[in-house]
Amino acid sequence: GAVVSQHPSWVICKSGTSVKIECRSLDFQATTMFWYRQFPKQSLMLMATSNEGSKATYEQGVEKDKFLINHASLTLSTLTVTSAHPEDSSFYICSVQGVTEAFFGQGTRLTVV
Amino acid sequence: AQSVTQLDSHVSVSEGTPVLLRCNYSSSYSPSLFWYVQHPNKGLQLLLKYTSAATLVKGINGFEAEFKKSETSFHLTKPSAHMSDAAEYFCVVSESSGTASKLTFGTGTRLQVTL
């Protein structure tokens, strides 16, 4: 199955700064990647669908100007949290959809102080 | 539209006893169903999947699940719990087994295993 690598695995940043999270598909060319957010003790919520070479598709309620997604190649999608605030603190997970199942990165724990 | 309901937010069992994690789904089409496990601060690992083949699906680590269309259920079971099974479990539905299909997650069930 596909191997998906996320970086960094955890990050602490100050309010007002921006943070970039990378999601790499190591052995699978992914035209589409998915970004999820998971608040403590809650389920995963889809934030956006990242499309290689075109604009991402955002779920209702997710601010596209705050969560910038770039999918410049078939193996890399990035999520940038701009002007981060403490309420953005969460666990962010990316995934790649294979033929019959999804493969997930190990997640990024973002803490905004 | 598709949805998933995990009936128990928390399940506690003794080591060596059976595990039952319940999941009901709703889907307009023939769904694909999955169970994923998540250990603290980790990504998700696939336990097993149903994609319209055999209704009894065997997964890793001794887990299995049975797809029951009449009951719209996909409960996860294991005959004998191990301490290492303690984790969060997610039931997931997808209305397409093809690429770029959207997943809908249940709210999760935290499994606690005691001595």
Side-chain angles (χ1 to χ4, degrees), chain A residues 87-109:
Chain A
E87 56 264 32
D88 298 325
S89 299
S90 188
F91 196 57
Y92 294 86
I93 304 177
C94 68
S95 79
V96 168
Q97 182 65 41
V99 176
T100 59
E101 67 186 83
F103 300 93
F104 292 85
Q106 63 269 49
T108 298
R109 168 74 58 195

Side-chain angles (χ1 to χ4, degrees), chain A residues 10-28:
Chain A
W10 61 270
V11 58
I12 301 173
C13 71
K14 292 184 178 180
S15 287
T17 62
S18 295
V19 174
K20 180 185 285 188
I21 302 170
E22 293 186 347
C23 179
R24 293 183 183 274
S25 176
L26 300 183
D27 58 354
F28 183 83

Side-chain angles (χ1 to χ4, degrees), chain A residues 31-35 46-60 62-72 76-80, chain B residues 102:
Chain A
T31 56
T32 304
M33 293 185 181
F34 300 89
W35 286 97
L46 180 65
M47 297 176 65
T49 302
S50 172
N51 304 299
E52 189 266 335
S54 64
K55 292 182 179 180
T57 305
Y58 290 82
E59 296 299 301
Q60 192 172 11
V62 178
E63 299 175 59
K64 62 180 181 181
D65 294 330
K66 181 170 185 60
F67 298 100
L68 300 179
I69 291 173
N70 183 274
H71 194 156
L76 174 64
S77 175
T78 60
L79 169 68
T80 301
Chain B
K102 192 177 292 187

